[in-house]
């Protein structure tokens, strides 16, 4: 699909990666770019039309699909990460919020916009996933579970929407230089690079983007994850939590 002349909607467009997605769409000549955010006043990117949208609110999602009925490219970017473990987190609140947003919110958007995309010739869905879709890390354990669920959703809707000609692109990355990873001291890819790679894939008709070295290495290691991934994660976690127990 050519982005030049397309009509796109980006969720979570008020900051971080969502803002970079919206800016890249404008620079590639999208005819209209809707920037959806819980607070539409946060959408300040030139050339982007603010839309009020909390993806966990089914009525707001339905309203957005009605209001943006000309969309042919949906970018499901909005997400939350609460850095919660499975066992020691004080309650299930963070795990539920992550699943409610990253999995159910994205599912809700895909369901609402599937008929819109069909009416506009098939179109494209870009789902912003993570390297943690592929493996679990106690640093952000329940977030990883929600991103694995979102990865499964991404692969599943590709099958269900094939007949209407919708391209489904899953984008994976390790740390990206935004608020979400602000407290992390580790190599980070820029949001601009992720946005460029995602839309290159859209234009080339590719279904998956492994945006950085970390996501490429982890995906390649999956057939031997219990030899190549989990022992290192365990060692890291044990060192980090030594003395804390
Ligand atoms: N940063 C990383 O290291 C990293 C790595 C891999 C994948 N990702 C993924 O990249 C995506 C963008 O994250 P980011 O790095 O830009 O993080 P961010 O700076 O924390 O931004 C998150 C965005 O999601 C929006 N959002 C959260 N809950 C929402 C809801 N219920 N309805 C609508 N919007 C909601 C936020 O809006 P508000 O301004 O209203 O809070 C914000 O615009 C997420 O899906 C994240 O999981 C991030």
């Amino acid at each position: 699909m050519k982005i030049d002349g397309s009509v796109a909607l980006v969720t979570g467009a008020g900051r971080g990666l969502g803002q970079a997605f919206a800016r890249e769409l404008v620079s590639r000549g999208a005819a209209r770019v809707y920037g959806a955010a819980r607070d539409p006043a946060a959408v300040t990117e030139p050339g982007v039309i603010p839309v009020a949208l909390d993806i966990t609110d089914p009525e707001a999602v339905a309203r957005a699909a009605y209001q943006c009925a000309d969309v042919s490219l949906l970018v499901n970017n909005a997400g939350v990460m609460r850095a919660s473990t499975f066992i020691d987190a004080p309650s299930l609140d963070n795990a539920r919020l992550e699943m409610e947003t990253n999995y159910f919110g994205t599912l809700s958007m895909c369901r609402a916009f599937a008929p819109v995309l069909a009416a506009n010739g098939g179109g494209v869905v870009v789902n912003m996933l993570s390297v943690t879709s592929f493996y679990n890390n106690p640093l952000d354990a329940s977030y990883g579970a929600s991103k694995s669920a979102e990865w499964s959703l991404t692969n599943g809707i590709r099958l269900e929407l094939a007949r209407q000609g919708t391209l489904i692109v899953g984008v994976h990355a390790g740390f990206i230089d935004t608020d979400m990873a602000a407290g992390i001291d580790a190599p980070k890819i820029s949001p601009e690079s992720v946005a460029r790679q995602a839309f290159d894939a859209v234009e080339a008709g590719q279904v998956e983007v492994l945006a950085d070295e970390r996501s490429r290495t982890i995906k390649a290691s999956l057939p031997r994850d219990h030899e190549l991934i989990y022992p290192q994660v365990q060692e890291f976690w044990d060192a980090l939590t030594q003395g804390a127990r």
Side-chain angles (χ1 to χ4, degrees):
M1 174 193 192
K2 277 182 73 67
I3 293 190
D4 189 14
S6 68
V7 177
L9 184 146
V10 181
T11 63
R15 60 191 173 102
L17 182 56
Q19 185 171 6
F21 275 134
R23 187 182 310 134
E24 183 67 19
L25 286 163
V26 171
S27 83
R28 290 191 186 212
R32 187 168 299 138
V33 179
Y34 296 108
R38 287 185 280 199
D39 173 10
V43 179
T44 55
E45 194 57 37
V48 177
I49 303 163
V51 172
L53 175 62
D54 179 335
I55 63 165
T56 65
D57 175 350
E59 282 175 20
V61 169
R63 248 191 332 270
Y66 178 77
Q67 187 183 342
C68 308
D70 50 353
V71 163
S72 53
L73 170 53
L74 170 65
V75 183
N76 285 312
N77 162 79
V80 288
M81 193 281 288
R82 287 298 169 97
S84 273
T85 52
F86 288 125
I87 303 300
D88 288 341
S91 73
L92 292 183
D93 290 356
N94 286 337
R96 287 194 200 282
L97 176 72
E98 289 163 336
M99 202 56 96
E100 201 56 52
T101 308
N102 303 341
Y103 174 64
F104 286 110
T106 303
L107 172 57
S108 180
M109 286 295 292
C110 292
R111 286 167 56 92
F113 277 86
V116 172
L117 297 172
N120 295 321
V124 181
V125 177
V126 174
N127 283 349
M128 188 58 218
L129 306 170
S130 167
V131 71
T132 64
S133 310
F134 298 142
Y135 78 109
N136 202 267
N137 186 332
L139 275 181
D140 52 15
S142 51
Y143 169 77
S146 71
K147 285 292 180 181
S148 289
E150 196 183 348
W151 180 35
S152 179
L153 157 70
T154 302
N155 290 324
I157 61 167
R158 188 175 299 116
L159 301 170
E160 294 184 29
L161 298 180
R163 202 169 292 141
Q164 72 173 41
T166 305
L167 171 68
I168 312 291
V169 183
V171 182
H172 301 263
F175 296 121
I176 306 170
D177 196 4
T178 66
D179 293 346
M180 189 177 281
I184 309 275
D185 182 18
K188 297 173 196 175
I189 189 173
S190 72
E192 290 76 19
S193 172
V194 176
R196 278 195 300 272
Q197 293 183 63
F199 296 135
D200 284 351
V202 167
E203 300 203 294
Q206 288 168 4
V207 297
E208 185 169 79
V209 176
L210 302 173
D212 59 1
E213 196 48 45
R214 178 93 181 131
S215 51
R216 287 189 285 273
T217 304
I218 291 286
K219 179 104 198 261
S221 305
L222 281 183
R224 292 170 60 205
D225 54 351
H226 294 290
E227 289 165 64
L228 300 177
I229 301 175
Y230 285 108
Q232 284 179 25
V233 178
Q234 186 79 63
E235 200 177 310
F236 170 78
W237 182 244
D238 287 347
L240 192 73
T241 55
Q242 208 173 24
R245 284 160 188 266

